Amino acid sequence: MAMYESEHTRFMREWMEKHPEQREQQQTGRALWWDKPQDVAEQQRLAQARVPVKPYYYDVGGH
């Protein structure tokens, strides 16, 4: 049984085969938007500063 491959996936795979110079630009874009260094202390600080959200946002709690 063959695996399904969408038209978009097929197009992108063929495009990258025909334009190998795009690989470097793709990696540069990924580094710009996604590959960020992680700071554990900063993540903990942000988690501690998070304010809990009430189940019903507009409930003022004065019942």
Side-chain angles (χ1 to χ4, degrees), residues 10-23:
R10 187 172 28 252
F11 169 79
M12 291 305 297
R13 183 176 40 77
E14 291 171 0
W15 172 267
M16 294 305 278
E17 288 172 2
K18 292 176 185 174
H19 301 90
E21 71 280 0
Q22 293 294 315
R23 182 77 56 198

PDB file of all heavy atoms in Angstrom, residues 10-23:
ATOM      1  N   ARG A  10       4.264  17.128  -2.746  1.00  0.00           N
ATOM      2  CA  ARG A  10       4.914  16.710  -3.992  1.00  0.00           C
ATOM      3  C   ARG A  10       5.539  17.914  -4.697  1.00  0.00           C
ATOM      4  O   ARG A  10       6.677  17.857  -5.159  1.00  0.00           O
ATOM      5  CB  ARG A  10       3.903  16.005  -4.890  1.00  0.00           C
ATOM      6  CG  ARG A  10       4.500  15.379  -6.116  1.00  0.00           C
ATOM      7  CD  ARG A  10       3.542  14.519  -6.925  1.00  0.00           C
ATOM      8  NE  ARG A  10       2.131  14.905  -6.822  1.00  0.00           N
ATOM      9  CZ  ARG A  10       1.211  14.214  -6.170  1.00  0.00           C
ATOM     10  NH1 ARG A  10       1.523  13.118  -5.541  1.00  0.00           N
ATOM     11  NH2 ARG A  10      -0.045  14.627  -6.134  1.00  0.00           N
ATOM     12  N   PHE A  11       4.785  19.024  -4.763  1.00  0.00           N
ATOM     13  CA  PHE A  11       5.296  20.233  -5.394  1.00  0.00           C
ATOM     14  C   PHE A  11       6.560  20.723  -4.699  1.00  0.00           C
ATOM     15  O   PHE A  11       7.561  21.042  -5.346  1.00  0.00           O
ATOM     16  CB  PHE A  11       4.233  21.339  -5.381  1.00  0.00           C
ATOM     17  CG  PHE A  11       4.773  22.688  -5.767  1.00  0.00           C
ATOM     18  CD1 PHE A  11       4.994  22.999  -7.102  1.00  0.00           C
ATOM     19  CD2 PHE A  11       5.087  23.631  -4.804  1.00  0.00           C
ATOM     20  CE1 PHE A  11       5.509  24.243  -7.458  1.00  0.00           C
ATOM     21  CE2 PHE A  11       5.598  24.871  -5.151  1.00  0.00           C
ATOM     22  CZ  PHE A  11       5.811  25.177  -6.481  1.00  0.00           C
ATOM     23  N   MET A  12       6.523  20.787  -3.348  1.00  0.00           N
ATOM     24  CA  MET A  12       7.685  21.277  -2.611  1.00  0.00           C
ATOM     25  C   MET A  12       8.890  20.361  -2.768  1.00  0.00           C
ATOM     26  O   MET A  12      10.018  20.841  -2.915  1.00  0.00           O
ATOM     27  CB  MET A  12       7.343  21.447  -1.128  1.00  0.00           C
ATOM     28  CG  MET A  12       6.363  22.576  -0.835  1.00  0.00           C
ATOM     29  SD  MET A  12       6.885  24.184  -1.482  1.00  0.00           S
ATOM     30  CE  MET A  12       8.384  24.450  -0.566  1.00  0.00           C
ATOM     31  N   ARG A  13       8.666  19.059  -2.743  1.00  0.00           N
ATOM     32  CA  ARG A  13       9.770  18.118  -2.916  1.00  0.00           C
ATOM     33  C   ARG A  13      10.405  18.293  -4.297  1.00  0.00           C
ATOM     34  O   ARG A  13      11.633  18.386  -4.427  1.00  0.00           O
ATOM     35  CB  ARG A  13       9.269  16.679  -2.746  1.00  0.00           C
ATOM     36  CG  ARG A  13      10.374  15.633  -2.833  1.00  0.00           C
ATOM     37  CD  ARG A  13       9.889  14.229  -2.561  1.00  0.00           C
ATOM     38  NE  ARG A  13       8.594  13.901  -3.128  1.00  0.00           N
ATOM     39  CZ  ARG A  13       8.375  13.624  -4.430  1.00  0.00           C
ATOM     40  NH1 ARG A  13       9.373  13.662  -5.287  1.00  0.00           N
ATOM     41  NH2 ARG A  13       7.162  13.323  -4.855  1.00  0.00           N
ATOM     42  N   GLU A  14       9.574  18.393  -5.331  1.00  0.00           N
ATOM     43  CA  GLU A  14      10.091  18.573  -6.700  1.00  0.00           C
ATOM     44  C   GLU A  14      10.775  19.929  -6.849  1.00  0.00           C
ATOM     45  O   GLU A  14      11.807  20.039  -7.510  1.00  0.00           O
ATOM     46  CB  GLU A  14       8.956  18.420  -7.707  1.00  0.00           C
ATOM     47  CG  GLU A  14       8.434  16.996  -7.790  1.00  0.00           C
ATOM     48  CD  GLU A  14       7.169  16.859  -8.628  1.00  0.00           C
ATOM     49  OE1 GLU A  14       6.687  17.893  -9.167  1.00  0.00           O
ATOM     50  OE2 GLU A  14       6.663  15.730  -8.743  1.00  0.00           O
ATOM     51  N   TRP A  15      10.198  20.964  -6.242  1.00  0.00           N
ATOM     52  CA  TRP A  15      10.794  22.307  -6.312  1.00  0.00           C
ATOM     53  C   TRP A  15      12.193  22.296  -5.702  1.00  0.00           C
ATOM     54  O   TRP A  15      13.132  22.842  -6.272  1.00  0.00           O
ATOM     55  CB  TRP A  15       9.902  23.304  -5.586  1.00  0.00           C
ATOM     56  CG  TRP A  15      10.529  24.662  -5.439  1.00  0.00           C
ATOM     57  CD1 TRP A  15      11.246  25.119  -4.388  1.00  0.00           C
ATOM     58  CD2 TRP A  15      10.524  25.709  -6.400  1.00  0.00           C
ATOM     59  NE1 TRP A  15      11.671  26.400  -4.622  1.00  0.00           N
ATOM     60  CE2 TRP A  15      11.248  26.788  -5.847  1.00  0.00           C
ATOM     61  CE3 TRP A  15       9.977  25.849  -7.673  1.00  0.00           C
ATOM     62  CZ2 TRP A  15      11.429  27.980  -6.542  1.00  0.00           C
ATOM     63  CZ3 TRP A  15      10.158  27.045  -8.342  1.00  0.00           C
ATOM     64  CH2 TRP A  15      10.881  28.096  -7.778  1.00  0.00           C
ATOM     65  N   MET A  16      12.331  21.668  -4.527  1.00  0.00           N
ATOM     66  CA  MET A  16      13.635  21.632  -3.864  1.00  0.00           C
ATOM     67  C   MET A  16      14.645  20.804  -4.663  1.00  0.00           C
ATOM     68  O   MET A  16      15.836  21.114  -4.644  1.00  0.00           O
ATOM     69  CB  MET A  16      13.501  21.103  -2.439  1.00  0.00           C
ATOM     70  CG  MET A  16      12.699  22.024  -1.517  1.00  0.00           C
ATOM     71  SD  MET A  16      13.315  23.712  -1.427  1.00  0.00           S
ATOM     72  CE  MET A  16      14.621  23.489  -0.246  1.00  0.00           C
ATOM     73  N   GLU A  17      14.184  19.779  -5.356  1.00  0.00           N
ATOM     74  CA  GLU A  17      15.092  18.995  -6.200  1.00  0.00           C
ATOM     75  C   GLU A  17      15.583  19.829  -7.383  1.00  0.00           C
ATOM     76  O   GLU A  17      16.737  19.723  -7.780  1.00  0.00           O
ATOM     77  CB  GLU A  17      14.385  17.734  -6.705  1.00  0.00           C
ATOM     78  CG  GLU A  17      14.176  16.689  -5.638  1.00  0.00           C
ATOM     79  CD  GLU A  17      13.306  15.526  -6.109  1.00  0.00           C
ATOM     80  OE1 GLU A  17      12.892  15.515  -7.288  1.00  0.00           O
ATOM     81  OE2 GLU A  17      13.028  14.642  -5.283  1.00  0.00           O
ATOM     82  N   LYS A  18      14.713  20.678  -7.931  1.00  0.00           N
ATOM     83  CA  LYS A  18      15.072  21.501  -9.085  1.00  0.00           C
ATOM     84  C   LYS A  18      15.828  22.767  -8.692  1.00  0.00           C
ATOM     85  O   LYS A  18      16.525  23.357  -9.515  1.00  0.00           O
ATOM     86  CB  LYS A  18      13.814  21.902  -9.859  1.00  0.00           C
ATOM     87  CG  LYS A  18      13.135  20.744 -10.532  1.00  0.00           C
ATOM     88  CD  LYS A  18      11.853  21.188 -11.207  1.00  0.00           C
ATOM     89  CE  LYS A  18      11.110  19.997 -11.784  1.00  0.00           C
ATOM     90  NZ  LYS A  18       9.785  20.394 -12.311  1.00  0.00           N
ATOM     91  N   HIS A  19      15.687  23.213  -7.459  1.00  0.00           N
ATOM     92  CA  HIS A  19      16.308  24.453  -6.983  1.00  0.00           C
ATOM     93  C   HIS A  19      17.067  24.198  -5.678  1.00  0.00           C
ATOM     94  O   HIS A  19      16.670  24.682  -4.617  1.00  0.00           O
ATOM     95  CB  HIS A  19      15.244  25.526  -6.755  1.00  0.00           C
ATOM     96  CG  HIS A  19      14.453  25.850  -7.976  1.00  0.00           C
ATOM     97  ND1 HIS A  19      13.299  25.194  -8.305  1.00  0.00           N
ATOM     98  CD2 HIS A  19      14.677  26.751  -8.956  1.00  0.00           C
ATOM     99  CE1 HIS A  19      12.831  25.681  -9.440  1.00  0.00           C
ATOM    100  NE2 HIS A  19      13.642  26.623  -9.856  1.00  0.00           N
ATOM    101  N   PRO A  20      18.172  23.478  -5.733  1.00  0.00           N
ATOM    102  CA  PRO A  20      18.910  23.155  -4.503  1.00  0.00           C
ATOM    103  C   PRO A  20      19.474  24.383  -3.787  1.00  0.00           C
ATOM    104  O   PRO A  20      19.730  24.338  -2.588  1.00  0.00           O
ATOM    105  CB  PRO A  20      20.034  22.226  -4.984  1.00  0.00           C
ATOM    106  CG  PRO A  20      20.158  22.487  -6.441  1.00  0.00           C
ATOM    107  CD  PRO A  20      18.813  22.921  -6.919  1.00  0.00           C
ATOM    108  N   GLU A  21      19.627  25.493  -4.492  1.00  0.00           N
ATOM    109  CA  GLU A  21      20.143  26.706  -3.855  1.00  0.00           C
ATOM    110  C   GLU A  21      19.156  27.260  -2.825  1.00  0.00           C
ATOM    111  O   GLU A  21      19.546  28.025  -1.943  1.00  0.00           O
ATOM    112  CB  GLU A  21      20.458  27.776  -4.916  1.00  0.00           C
ATOM    113  CG  GLU A  21      19.244  28.396  -5.584  1.00  0.00           C
ATOM    114  CD  GLU A  21      18.610  27.574  -6.702  1.00  0.00           C
ATOM    115  OE1 GLU A  21      19.097  26.472  -7.004  1.00  0.00           O
ATOM    116  OE2 GLU A  21      17.625  28.057  -7.272  1.00  0.00           O
ATOM    117  N   GLN A  22      17.912  26.863  -2.900  1.00  0.00           N
ATOM    118  CA  GLN A  22      16.902  27.330  -1.955  1.00  0.00           C
ATOM    119  C   GLN A  22      17.064  26.708  -0.566  1.00  0.00           C
ATOM    120  O   GLN A  22      16.537  27.224   0.408  1.00  0.00           O
ATOM    121  CB  GLN A  22      15.499  27.027  -2.486  1.00  0.00           C
ATOM    122  CG  GLN A  22      15.124  27.804  -3.723  1.00  0.00           C
ATOM    123  CD  GLN A  22      15.012  29.286  -3.443  1.00  0.00           C
ATOM    124  OE1 GLN A  22      14.424  29.692  -2.444  1.00  0.00           O
ATOM    125  NE2 GLN A  22      15.575  30.092  -4.322  1.00  0.00           N
ATOM    126  N   ARG A  23      17.791  25.603  -0.466  1.00  0.00           N
ATOM    127  CA  ARG A  23      17.973  24.916   0.818  1.00  0.00           C
ATOM    128  C   ARG A  23      18.618  25.844   1.848  1.00  0.00           C
ATOM    129  O   ARG A  23      18.183  25.909   2.980  1.00  0.00           O
ATOM    130  CB  ARG A  23      18.834  23.659   0.603  1.00  0.00           C
ATOM    131  CG  ARG A  23      19.063  22.841   1.836  1.00  0.00           C
ATOM    132  CD  ARG A  23      17.899  22.001   2.260  1.00  0.00           C
ATOM    133  NE  ARG A  23      17.473  21.123   1.173  1.00  0.00           N
ATOM    134  CZ  ARG A  23      16.287  20.537   1.140  1.00  0.00           C
ATOM    135  NH1 ARG A  23      15.447  20.682   2.124  1.00  0.00           N
ATOM    136  NH2 ARG A  23      15.944  19.779   0.138  1.00  0.00           N
TER     137      ARG A  23
END
